[in-house]
Amino acid sequence: MMRRTIAVCLAASAVLCLSGCVTATYEYGQDHQLHEVSDVMDPQTAAKRRVSIAIGHMNKGQMTEAKQNLEIAKKYDSDSPYVKLSYADYYQRVGEDQHAEELYRELVSRNPENIGDVYNSYANFLCSKDRFTEAYETFGKAVKIPSYANISGVYVNASACAHHQKNYSLSLAYIDKAIDYDGASPELFAIKAQLALDAGDMPTAKTAIAVFDRMAKGKESPRSYLDKIKIADSEHNINESMRLGKELVEKYPNSSQAREYMNNEY
């Protein structure tokens, strides 16, 4: 079946299309007319497809395009908890906090199938507003759902929340819980090293970065190089610090970490 990809302008006027375009895939149906691929899906699948596109736009800061796709998703399935959760995310990102919290509270009261994601996102929202007690309680509700698949991610977010609160010991405790659930992830040990450095806990940072190096099998990142430089500096190991700094600048000259090192801003 023949398909075409068409840039479709969404605007009130067909003459002055100023609000941007979204890319949609069309195919010829049995009536020999072009139909958007989403039109031949069930409404729930079509809505999730548009939500996925909207999230991609939000992650790129393209909020106009994100809202356009959310509006289309809403037309397919206006009651979808996935659509509503993405709307809450959108409102949070554009600073419409009241609308965001209204949607979060509505979803919590409905207890939908994606309630784990709802709790996780709502807790992040609460933390961003410095409502820490409520945030930790809400993270706790997410991890108590036996079927929830992203418990490690919840603990990572809770750790970030504690770090935002400058409660470094709690932040490390939460990242340890994340590691308990997903100890095969090198990135978690890299995060733990950074948290330990912020807490001034050099032994923990050194151990965590050593585990990261072993698990990553030599695939260092600019961040891990800078962390090791900080550890070497704390131990007054000038030669090691200089060696690592030289490698950082040579391997990752355009990284923000290389710039921080060169400008002595780390």
Side-chain angles (χ1 to χ4, degrees):
M1 185 173 288
M2 185 182 297
R3 290 188 175 185
R4 293 183 180 179
T5 299
I6 303 174
V8 181
C9 286
L10 301 177
S13 168
V15 179
L16 296 176
C17 187
L18 302 177
S19 63
C21 300
V22 293
T23 299
T25 301
Y26 284 70
E27 69 181 18
Y28 284 101
Q30 293 182 350
D31 58 358
H32 305 293
Q33 300 296 317
L34 278 174
H35 298 274
E36 186 180 357
V37 170
S38 296
D39 290 340
V40 298
M41 300 177 185
D42 64 89
Q44 291 76 23
T45 301
K48 287 182 181 180
R49 176 177 177 269
R50 283 293 175 170
V51 163
S52 179
I53 295 171
I55 291 172
H57 282 302
M58 282 193 279
N59 289 338
K60 295 177 183 177
Q62 299 166 346
M63 306 311 289
T64 299
E65 293 85 348
K67 189 173 184 180
Q68 289 172 348
N69 280 279
L70 287 175
E71 290 294 334
I72 295 171
K74 187 176 180 180
K75 289 179 181 177
Y76 282 121
D77 190 359
S78 62
D79 201 43
S80 165
Y82 298 95
V83 174
K84 288 181 181 290
L85 182 57
S86 295
Y87 258 109
D89 184 16
Y90 167 81
Y91 285 133
Q92 182 177 342
R93 295 193 196 209
V94 298
E96 297 186 30
D97 294 343
Q98 182 176 344
H99 289 314
E101 184 154 17
E102 286 172 356
L103 282 172
Y104 284 130
R105 288 182 176 276
E106 176 190 338
L107 287 165
V108 166
S109 69
R110 288 175 54 182
N111 193 31
E113 62 181 0
N114 64 334
I115 186 62
D117 288 333
V118 170
Y119 281 137
N120 195 8
S121 295
Y122 187 26
N124 283 329
F125 169 82
L126 292 168
C127 184
S128 72
K129 305 306 166 191
D130 294 346
R131 293 159 60 182
F132 298 113
T133 300
E134 294 173 85
Y136 297 134
E137 289 175 354
T138 307
F139 282 128
K141 291 176 182 178
V143 299
K144 288 179 181 176
I145 301 171
S147 61
Y148 190 44
N150 191 31
I151 289 178
S152 176
V154 174
Y155 282 129
V156 169
N157 288 338
S159 175
C161 182
H163 186 270
H164 171 61
Q165 192 184 11
K166 294 183 169 48
N167 188 336
Y168 298 122
S169 60
L170 182 59
S171 183
L172 281 167
Y174 274 127
I175 207 66
D176 280 338
K177 286 180 179 292
I179 290 170
D180 287 342
Y181 276 89
D182 188 14
S185 171
E187 181 61 25
L188 292 180
F189 288 94
I191 294 172
K192 182 173 181 177
Q194 293 170 34
L195 295 174
L197 284 168
D198 289 343
D201 185 349
M202 294 304 166
T204 297
K206 190 173 183 178
T207 300
I209 206 68
V211 175
F212 169 81
D213 281 344
R214 184 171 66 251
M215 295 179 70
K217 297 178 180 178
K219 296 180 180 178
E220 298 97 341
S221 67
R223 181 74 261 172
S224 67
Y225 263 108
L226 194 60
D227 287 345
K228 285 186 280 189
I229 290 168
K230 291 178 181 179
I231 292 169
D233 286 348
S234 74
E235 297 175 338
H236 307 291
N237 191 338
I238 305 302
N239 290 336
E240 179 67 1
S241 177
M242 291 179 66
R243 182 189 70 80
L244 291 166
K246 183 173 182 291
E247 287 188 15
L248 169 62
V249 173
E250 288 176 349
K251 289 186 177 181
Y252 307 101
N254 297 320
S255 68
S256 61
Q257 289 80 12
R259 289 193 297 273
E260 288 177 36
Y261 176 77
M262 292 294 290
N263 295 329
N264 198 30
E265 294 176 345
Y266 64 94

